[in-house]
Amino acid sequence: MNPNDLDLRLLRSFLFVAQSGKISSAAKQLHLSQPAVTAHLRRLEEVVGKPLLSRSTHGVKLTSHGHTLRNLAIDVQNTLARIETSFHHEQKLSGELR
């Protein structure tokens, strides 16, 4: 696996599918088409080289590799949120200049 092939959009689609249990629901939440989300999932499975989801007519379930990736992807998402917060709340100079 080449980490440079990982795309945050792929991880985001995966997390939405993992949360909702359905590709169609995740697609609606992401404002993407169902085929686009399916393509993201297939690409992510290609990148990691393991099946991440078990698909059925009732939706999808995470495989053991899918559970592992979900936990790691949540960590990535939390790290990105901390980065955004740290730059958003950057210290500004204040006071009186003499």
Side-chain angles (χ1 to χ4, degrees):
M1 179 178 103
N2 183 351
N4 293 327
D5 290 337
L6 277 176
D7 182 332
L8 293 176
R9 292 175 299 159
L10 303 179
L11 289 176
R12 187 166 188 249
S13 291
F14 172 74
L15 284 174
F16 272 79
V17 171
Q19 180 182 20
S20 68
K22 295 190 179 210
I23 294 172
S24 58
S25 298
K28 286 179 186 175
Q29 292 173 325
L30 291 165
H31 305 287
L32 296 171
S33 68
Q34 187 171 342
V37 173
T38 299
H40 285 175
L41 297 174
R42 285 192 182 134
R43 177 68 185 132
L44 189 56
E45 286 179 326
E46 285 176 19
V47 169
V48 299
K50 304 285 183 190
L52 300 171
L53 302 167
S54 173
R55 295 158 175 87
S56 75
T57 56
H58 302 291
V60 297
K61 291 187 179 185
L62 296 177
T63 64
S64 61
H65 297 293
H67 283 287
T68 300
L69 181 62
R70 183 192 60 197
N71 293 336
L72 294 170
I74 288 170
D75 290 344
V76 168
Q77 192 176 44
N78 290 338
T79 299
L80 291 172
R82 284 195 316 272
I83 290 169
E84 182 181 4
T85 300
S86 71
F87 283 97
H88 194 62
H89 291 34
E90 194 173 275
Q91 294 281 341
K92 297 191 175 166
L93 295 176
S94 62
E96 185 177 321
L97 180 62
R98 293 182 190 199

